[in-house]
Amino acid sequence: MSSTDNKESVLPARRRARAGEGIGVLLLRRLRDGIITLLLVVAVIFVLAHVVGDPALVFSPVDASDEEVERIARAFGLDRPFWERFGSYFADIFTGDFGESWWQNRPALAAVAEALPNTIYLTLAGIAGAALTGIVGGVFAGSRPGSLFDRGSNFFSISALSVPNFWLGLLFIVIFSVQLGWFPTSGMFGVSSIVLPALTIAVVHGGRVFQLVRSATVEEMSKPYVRVARSKGFPHRMVLWRHVLRNTGLTTATIAGWEYVRLWGGAVFAIEWVFAWPGIGTLTINAAERQDFFVLQAAVIIAGVFVIVSNLVVDLLYRVIDNRIKSS
Amino acid sequence: MPYRVVASERRVGSPPIRRRLQGLLEKRGWWLFALFLSLMAAWAIFPGVFAPYDANYLNPRNRLISPGGASPEGSHIAGTDGLGVDLFSQMVEGARLTLMIAVVATLLGAAIGVTVGMLAGYFGGVVDRMLMRLGEAQTAMPMFLVAILLLSLLGPSVTILIIVLPTLVWPIFARVVRAETLQIKQATYIEAAVATGCPTSVVLYRHVLPNVVPRILVLFVVEIGHVMLAEAGLSFLGVGVQPPDITWGLLIAEGRPLLTVAWWLTILPGVLLSVTVLSLNILSRRFEQYAGAAA
């Protein structure tokens, strides 16, 4: 998406800082936006559960009897008026009461809290791989546009973006686990089990990082100072490492951070499911199969909070580094 | 890189055939992808012509034949599944729903996004801020998880899928169209249209919309691919298309339990899906160059 929709700048519009704005103001604005988003999502979930569906059925196990459903309806006070239910629902969510999971017989929040660190671990490992391959490849390709390496790696990265991420995981299982027997097919036991899921993330997201870093490098290479340095007789490699990389470094760092947030938008959850990685994705899909509404809801909201916070951190880091560069 | 051009031109005197083929492939290679997409469209429209067997016909005696193998009933290029159904026929059959869902959902998303983007860009102010914040807000949410929750609450079905998928793509259309509209708004012909008393709806429909179409088309082609991947993901996770309907994503999911004994059941439908999305990506780049040259 990002590779085609803004030609003028590699970074999405919202990442470009507004002029003359302090970090405090930015932080507050982002925080407000985040809270509004979260409220919207919670409201949509409420409306779906209470207005579109029958809440008593939504809240109860799939195989519950009629009496049980009625008992649940009473226990949740579903006979109360709509606005009262709406209010108490919000109060519950914001005091951290996400309901009991009937599947796991414990608070839904506990199940999510257990899965969250595993997902964070996997996403960090994956994004490290993606950043490494994407940045190194992107700089080399972008520094010599039109070269064999550029054309080859460009095609490879478009292919990486076209492949379904979960299918790539399955392909790696067939090759590296079934045929070669190098890594376990699934689960989380020791370091070897993170290799394949992290590799899958690295390939898919590395493709996008590559594209963005490449176009940033191409743009930078076409600037007059590069031509000046070249005409003075500096070797290509020196211009690249000493001049160009220093100027694209900030953009590159932001691309990696932005990609991390993006990873939480989807890919990681299906990949977790493929490798039976005990994170948020696997939990959510198991809960969806069992129609365990409270775990589903808790997973979406907690993941949402995490994404909003990491968005904030990326923005903040960008501003801090940017300011340091400007003042030095 | 001027130096490189000179270096390659020096060889023009006697161009080796390999090099000429390579150049031809790079300049005209997109034809292959266009051809592939047409083939997929043909599969979707006339599955009966291409499928050698009935995709619902099962014969347990023919189960798990590997690709290229044959049963007493004939050959199976892509092998058979655990129930003895021909995989190639299933893939042909799956093209219809896979393409249909992706195209319809992307059309819906584009319609919403273009409307929102044009209104936001043309009117600006509060409308702009509210509409665009909604889109921004959404990109800051784990939308895939939200989609799983929605689908499991509403009950997975093709209709619900076509309603949920556009929510993933409309913000991109809105952002691009808004940016284009902001530029077009400055043009003299818009000013002229407004001055001659054109109602706003006519200005938007007759003067702004035709000018954003090239960009929308480029984006549309890419986004069909993205929606296709999202549908495959949701179907793979069991909250999308349900059997007996067939899509490529669902075929991958159904092959997964047999991954260690019959790799082709998961790998081949995925190859088909990947090449389709790749073709869309490459064609959209081609369109982009073309639209850029025309503008």
Side-chain angles (χ1 to χ4, degrees), chain B residues 236-260:
Chain B
F236 174 72
L237 298 176
V239 290
V241 176
Q242 301 293 314
D245 285 338
I246 308 176
T247 62
W248 295 335
L250 194 62
L251 283 178
I252 299 175
E254 287 176 344
R256 190 189 170 203
L258 297 167
L259 189 62
T260 49

Side-chain angles (χ1 to χ4, degrees), chain A residues 1 3-7 14 32-33 37 40-41 45 48 52 58 151 155 158-159 161-164 166-167 170-171 173-174 178 211 264-266 269 273-274 280 284-285 288 291 293 296-297 300 303-304 307-308 311, chain B residues 1 4 22 26 33 133-134 136-137 140-146 148-150 152-154 172 175-176 215 219 223 226 229 232-233 236-237 239 252 256 259-260 263 266-267 270-271 273-274 277-278 281-282 285 288:
Chain A
M1 295 171 220
S3 56
T4 52
D5 58 9
N6 48 84
K7 294 215 108 166
R14 60 198 216 82
R32 179 200 62 194
D33 286 359
T37 315
L40 267 174
V41 168
I45 295 174
L48 281 174
V52 179
V58 169
R151 283 175 299 170
F155 185 79
I158 302 177
S159 310
L161 289 174
S162 309
V163 163
F166 59 92
W167 175 80
L170 293 168
L171 185 68
I173 290 181
V174 170
V178 179
Q211 296 263 321
W264 278 78
F269 305 114
W273 177 243
V274 166
I280 300 269
T284 309
I285 295 147
Q291 295 279 308
F293 172 74
L296 268 174
Q297 168 190 280
V300 169
V307 172
I308 288 166
N311 236 328
Chain B
M1 296 282 106
R4 306 189 69 80
Q22 197 190 336
E26 263 168 34
F33 294 99
R133 179 147 306 144
L134 197 67
E136 257 182 39
M141 277 303 292
M143 278 313 287
F144 198 68
L145 283 188
V146 176
I148 294 175
L149 181 110
L150 292 184
S152 80
L153 269 183
L154 299 169
I172 303 146
R175 211 171 70 211
V176 171
R215 289 288 279 140
L219 199 58
E223 291 309 315
H226 284 138
L229 291 179
F236 174 72
L237 298 176
V239 290
I252 299 175
R256 190 189 170 203
L259 189 62
T260 49
W263 57 268
T266 37
I267 300 307
V271 170
L273 185 61
S274 306
V277 178
L278 178 66
N281 279 337
I282 287 186
R285 285 188 180 219
E288 201 176 12

Side-chain angles (χ1 to χ4, degrees), chain B residues 49-274:
Chain B
V49 179
F50 296 93
Y53 303 92
D54 184 349
N56 296 313
Y57 170 73
L58 50 94
N59 184 351
R61 251 183 243 167
N62 299 340
R63 63 194 298 270
L64 298 183
I65 295 173
S66 52
S71 70
E73 279 153 55
S75 64
H76 301 276
I77 334 173
T80 60
D81 70 4
L83 295 168
V85 186
D86 183 59
L87 181 62
F88 183 70
S89 307
Q90 279 179 295
M91 293 199 299
V92 173
E93 199 73 40
R96 173 171 287 184
L97 205 53
T98 310
L99 297 186
M100 195 274 277
I101 292 175
V103 171
V104 174
T106 316
L107 269 178
L108 282 176
I112 300 169
V114 170
T115 314
V116 168
M118 252 175 20
L119 292 179
Y122 192 79
F123 291 108
V126 189
V127 186
D128 183 24
R129 254 177 290 150
M130 292 224 334
L131 288 175
M132 295 324 283
R133 179 147 306 144
L134 197 67
E136 257 182 39
Q138 204 189 302
T139 49
M141 277 303 292
M143 278 313 287
F144 198 68
L145 283 188
V146 176
I148 294 175
L149 181 110
L150 292 184
L151 282 161
S152 80
L153 269 183
L154 299 169
S157 74
V158 173
T159 321
I160 300 289
L161 207 55
I162 289 178
I163 296 171
V164 170
L165 284 172
T167 60
L168 301 177
V169 288
W170 77 264
I172 303 146
F173 283 99
R175 211 171 70 211
V176 171
V177 170
R178 175 179 172 274
E180 291 273 299
T181 309
L182 277 176
Q183 273 189 356
I184 293 166
K185 204 169 74 169
Q186 314 280 327
T188 332
Y189 60 83
I190 299 288
E191 206 180 316
V194 175
T196 51
C198 243
T200 310
S201 57
V202 176
V203 172
L204 284 177
Y205 186 72
R206 295 289 292 274
H207 299 287
V208 178
L209 187 61
N211 286 298
V212 287
V213 162
R215 289 288 279 140
I216 301 173
L217 271 181
V218 172
L219 199 58
F220 184 72
V221 175
V222 187
E223 291 309 315
I224 291 179
H226 284 138
V227 170
M228 213 177 254
L229 291 179
E231 178 268 317
L234 291 168
S235 298
F236 174 72
L237 298 176
V239 290
V241 176
Q242 301 293 314
D245 285 338
I246 308 176
T247 62
W248 295 335
L250 194 62
L251 283 178
I252 299 175
E254 287 176 344
R256 190 189 170 203
L258 297 167
L259 189 62
T260 49
V261 287
W263 57 268
W264 58 90
L265 294 176
T266 37
I267 300 307
L268 294 183
V271 170
L272 206 56
L273 185 61
S274 306

Side-chain angles (χ1 to χ4, degrees), chain A residues 96-120:
Chain A
D97 179 7
F98 288 89
E100 286 278 320
S101 159
W102 58 263
W103 159 42
Q104 299 201 345
N105 274 325
R106 57 175 174 165
L109 190 61
V112 175
E114 194 181 274
L116 188 66
N118 295 337
T119 302
I120 296 177

